[in-house]
Amino acid sequence: MKQSRIFSTPNSVFIMLAAMALVASIFVSLCSGSTGLSVTRTFHGFIEGSATPAGRIIYFVRAPRTLAAVLAGAALAVSGAVLQNVLANPLASSGTIGVNAGAGFGAALCGVFFPFSPALPAGAFFGALLTILIVYELSRRVGAARVTLVLAGVAISSLMNAATNSITTLVPDALPSVHAFQVGGLSGVSLKALLPAGLYILFAFAALIALNGELDILTLGDESAESLGLNARKYRFAFLTLAAVLTGAAVSFAGLIGFVGLIAPHVARIIIGGGDSKALIIMSALCGAAFLTLCDTAARAMFAPFELQVGVIVAFIGAPFFLWLLFSGKGRRKL
Amino acid sequence: MIELTDVSGGYRGKKRVFDVTVEFTRGSVTCVLGTNGSGKSTLIKLSCGLLPLISGIVSVDGVKLSAMSRKAIAQKIAYLPQERDIPDITAEKLVMHGRFPHLGYPRIYSEREKAITCEAMKTAGILHLRSEYLSDMSGGERQKTYMAMMIAQDTDAVFLDEPTTYLDIARQIDIADIVKTLRQTNKAVIMASHDINLALSGADKIILMKEGRILAATSPDLALESGALEETFGVKALSLTDETGHTHYVFARK
């Protein structure tokens, strides 16, 4: 157990701790914002409901925003974990292999032709799925070297972003806020937009937990999986589809947030080790959700009343962290 | 228990094995020998249903492989690939995955499954490594862990693709011992190998392959006496007898 995990405590303990960290970050997020509300007033507002001004801020402004951060963080992190396992590539994530960009293109296209909120996550999903399948097919043909997948992702990302940019230039209303979308931002997110996306995310999450045994087997590699009686092609397609559902739903309301999907699964792996997909999925979700919630809180609070886009904070924290992960040896063996 | 009749197959529609007819029986070890690229691995994958047939029939106990589900095949046939990724997983979890084809949904690992896993690790001699991660193991330990997974899978037929390649001599002997144990438990063991001495001393039957065809399928003694072995590899065999009366072979250029 030299490198694979750093502690020998049971996974359930770490999952409990991560869940507590998430609850704490949600609390911090609800308490902070451009209107200074004390902790007690936040609490009262929460209890009293939308009748009081504090309650209105909590229920109509902060709660949807916090919920959005939790959902997007969890969804991107879990899709990253699944992509890394299924593609047997630790560099995979919806950001690195171009799936975010594909989802963005799908969302923009959908915004032109079907401009109503439940359709947006579906459009983003089809964009994400299309990209995953293109990248996977391309990399499979050339032997799926780890870097090839990422390089293919870079190319697909540029292509999809170019397409998105063309659409948003020609049809400015295709996406709610083009700038926020491209950096990744949660300002102005509404419960109405969150509801369908949230349902997609919950569905994919439940399906992944239900199929965790199959994911364990698929992670062993195609030939081992097949010889253990798993139809590798079929299940890989199923898992890639679920990853696309998660990415598409998150991108539809949060825009192109990178790094969460790459970092959170690695942190989860360092804490709980490999070989248990269920624990990995839960841990990634908790880490991703807590991380994005805190980043969004920082984005709102640091320069209040001005706001940064959450994607900016994620990049400021995520990029150095990923470099540290890459060069410190903590994750090097797997990278 | 496994019969191949006029089997041809290969990758992406290109034949690598041509019109092979052969049978593998329970309680015996069959060694597939041949030069690199002679179709050993292809033959094994075709026999396991891991590659689609181009023509011919593979049947397991009289049932066509093509009519069986992946899961049903996995209950009858285990397969150890030649090259694998190194999954980030402990030995015990990997060996436990051997029980996967026998479990319904949801997959609950009962005491019985745990006992089988434990027994399999004992047989493969890796019980002391149970909580080690595969990534931290030596090549030999990893190979034995995969053997333990196959033992836990508890199939009637076991296919091994070059199980001793890249291993040191002591580890090669360990693997040969595990193969003997599998044979004693009445399994059909089929392995592709480059280790001719292992084949001659441990196998009941030798299949010699060249350019995708079977040159000879016979006992180790006959393979030598008939000169088929020498012909397959283009070498000559010299026999040496040690003080215990065992015969060993060395091979030299013709």
Side-chain angles (χ1 to χ4, degrees):
Chain A
M1 290 210 229
K2 276 169 285 181
Q3 292 173 319
S4 298
R5 54 186 288 181
I6 44 178
F7 313 108
S8 55
T9 319
N11 287 342
S12 50
V13 174
F14 287 112
I15 288 172
M16 288 290 285
L17 286 174
M20 281 154 66
L22 175 61
V23 170
S25 53
I26 289 172
F27 183 73
V28 171
S29 169
L30 287 175
C31 287
S32 23
S34 46
T35 316
L37 290 183
S38 65
V39 171
T40 24
R41 279 194 65 195
T42 306
F43 187 71
H44 280 290
F46 194 72
I47 304 288
E48 287 155 7
S50 52
T52 62
R56 270 198 291 280
I57 290 176
I58 299 296
Y59 276 94
F60 295 129
V61 183
R62 292 191 188 168
R65 180 119 185 210
T66 305
L67 183 63
V70 169
L71 284 173
L76 291 171
V78 172
S79 89
V82 171
L83 289 173
Q84 285 166 12
N85 272 12
V86 172
L87 301 176
N89 190 329
L91 296 173
S93 79
S94 57
T96 47
I97 67 168
V99 182
N100 275 356
F105 169 65
L109 205 60
C110 197
V112 176
F113 294 106
F114 309 99
F116 46 96
S117 62
L120 211 59
F125 157 70
F126 283 113
L129 184 63
L130 180 73
T131 319
I132 287 185
L133 294 179
I134 292 174
V135 173
Y136 174 69
E137 268 308 305
L138 284 177
S139 67
R140 197 176 63 91
R141 269 156 211 264
V142 294
R146 288 179 168 176
V147 181
T148 313
L149 192 73
V150 178
L151 292 178
V154 171
I156 301 277
S157 274
S158 320
L159 189 68
M160 292 291 181
N161 282 334
T164 310
N165 282 335
S166 314
I167 293 176
T168 50
T169 308
L170 296 173
V171 188
D173 297 337
L175 290 169
S177 156
V178 176
H179 174 66
F181 189 83
Q182 273 167 352
V183 202
L186 298 168
S187 48
V189 71
S190 66
L191 278 179
K192 209 177 113 201
L194 272 185
L195 187 68
L199 289 177
Y200 285 110
I201 290 170
L202 286 181
F203 160 75
F205 197 71
L208 284 170
I209 293 294
L211 293 174
N212 77 83
E214 281 78 1
L215 187 54
D216 278 345
I217 301 293
L218 192 62
T219 307
L220 299 178
D222 272 20
E223 287 193 329
S224 292
E226 292 266 341
S227 59
L228 287 171
L230 190 80
N231 187 329
R233 267 185 93 86
K234 194 172 98 186
Y235 277 96
R236 189 174 35 243
F237 182 74
F239 286 119
L240 291 178
T241 306
L242 290 171
V245 170
L246 289 169
T247 308
V251 167
S252 74
F253 65 85
L256 309 180
I257 299 179
F259 278 116
V260 181
L262 189 61
I263 296 169
H266 280 290
V267 173
R269 267 179 236 275
I270 289 173
I271 298 172
I272 61 169
D276 184 346
S277 301
K278 197 202 241 164
L280 179 69
I281 287 168
I282 295 172
M283 197 65 185
S284 301
L286 293 172
C287 289
F291 177 64
L292 200 62
T293 307
L294 288 177
C295 283
D296 186 52
T297 309
R300 280 183 291 148
M302 275 199 331
F303 301 105
F306 300 106
E307 244 187 51
L308 292 175
Q309 297 295 351
V310 64
V312 175
I313 302 287
V314 170
F316 271 127
I317 300 174
F321 182 84
F322 186 68
L323 290 174
W324 173 76
L325 201 67
L326 204 55
F327 293 108
S328 72
K330 276 274 184 297
R332 186 193 280 163
R333 186 178 50 79
K334 288 180 225 100
L335 292 170
Chain B
M1 67 165 292
I2 298 180
E3 282 176 70
L4 279 71
T5 316
D6 293 326
V7 165
S8 298
Y11 301 86
R12 296 177 191 191
K14 201 177 159 198
K15 282 189 193 178
R16 296 279 291 276
V17 161
F18 303 89
D19 306 319
V20 165
T21 299
V22 71
E23 189 184 356
F24 307 118
T25 49
R26 282 188 177 79
S28 78
V29 175
T30 308
C31 240
V32 186
L33 298 176
T35 52
N36 292 325
S38 57
K40 302 188 295 292
S41 294
T42 313
L43 179 68
I44 282 185
K45 284 183 195 169
L46 289 168
S47 312
C48 298
L50 290 169
L51 269 182
L53 302 178
I54 292 173
S55 63
I57 296 168
V58 178
S59 64
V60 182
D61 293 330
V63 183
K64 270 192 201 171
L65 208 58
S66 53
M68 294 166 74
S69 70
R70 269 259 55 97
K71 190 174 168 177
I73 295 172
Q75 290 168 356
K76 288 273 189 188
I77 300 174
Y79 165 70
L80 182 71
Q82 186 180 350
E83 284 170 2
R84 299 166 301 259
D85 287 338
I86 301 166
D88 187 23
I89 186 175
T90 60
E92 186 167 24
K93 272 199 180 133
L94 183 78
V95 177
M96 190 102 85
H97 282 331
R99 299 305 299 159
F100 183 80
H102 301 283
L103 297 173
Y105 189 89
R107 311 188 195 288
I108 296 159
Y109 291 96
S110 64
E111 286 307 313
R112 184 171 165 267
E113 312 298 339
K114 283 176 189 159
I116 293 173
T117 302
C118 191
E119 202 52 44
M121 286 192 286
K122 258 184 216 160
T123 308
I126 55 146
L127 196 60
H128 61 291
L129 299 171
R130 58 195 302 169
S131 47
E132 287 279 326
Y133 275 82
L134 260 75
S135 41
D136 298 338
M137 290 182 177
S138 71
E141 290 170 338
R142 216 175 283 146
Q143 191 72 339
K144 280 193 263 181
T145 308
Y146 270 99
M147 296 288 279
M149 180 174 89
M150 302 182 82
I151 296 168
Q153 196 175 341
D154 194 22
T155 53
D156 289 343
V158 173
F159 285 85
L160 310 167
D161 199 349
E162 299 195 17
T164 57
T165 310
Y166 310 123
L167 300 186
D168 66 53
I169 185 69
R171 253 39 67 186
Q172 290 182 17
I173 293 171
D174 286 346
I175 300 291
D177 285 344
I178 298 173
V179 167
K180 273 180 209 154
T181 315
L182 290 172
R183 178 176 179 265
Q184 278 161 13
T185 50
N186 201 32
K187 294 179 190 304
V189 184
I190 302 94
M191 57 179 180
S193 182
H194 282 303
D195 188 339
I196 300 181
N197 272 305
L198 174 75
L200 290 173
S201 60
D204 300 286
K205 186 159 126 184
I206 285 186
I207 293 176
L208 294 167
M209 289 195 72
K210 196 167 194 176
E211 288 160 10
R213 293 175 200 278
I214 291 184
L215 284 187
T218 173
S219 71
D221 292 342
L222 274 172
L224 263 177
E225 280 167 27
S226 65
L229 188 66
E230 294 173 310
E231 193 198 322
T232 306
F233 291 98
V235 294
K236 63 175 185 249
L238 308 164
S239 68
L240 305 164
T241 307
D242 66 18
E243 61 269 29
T244 61
H246 281 97
T247 309
H248 304 271
Y249 296 92
V250 286
F251 298 89
R253 202 183 295 278
K254 240 176 190 167

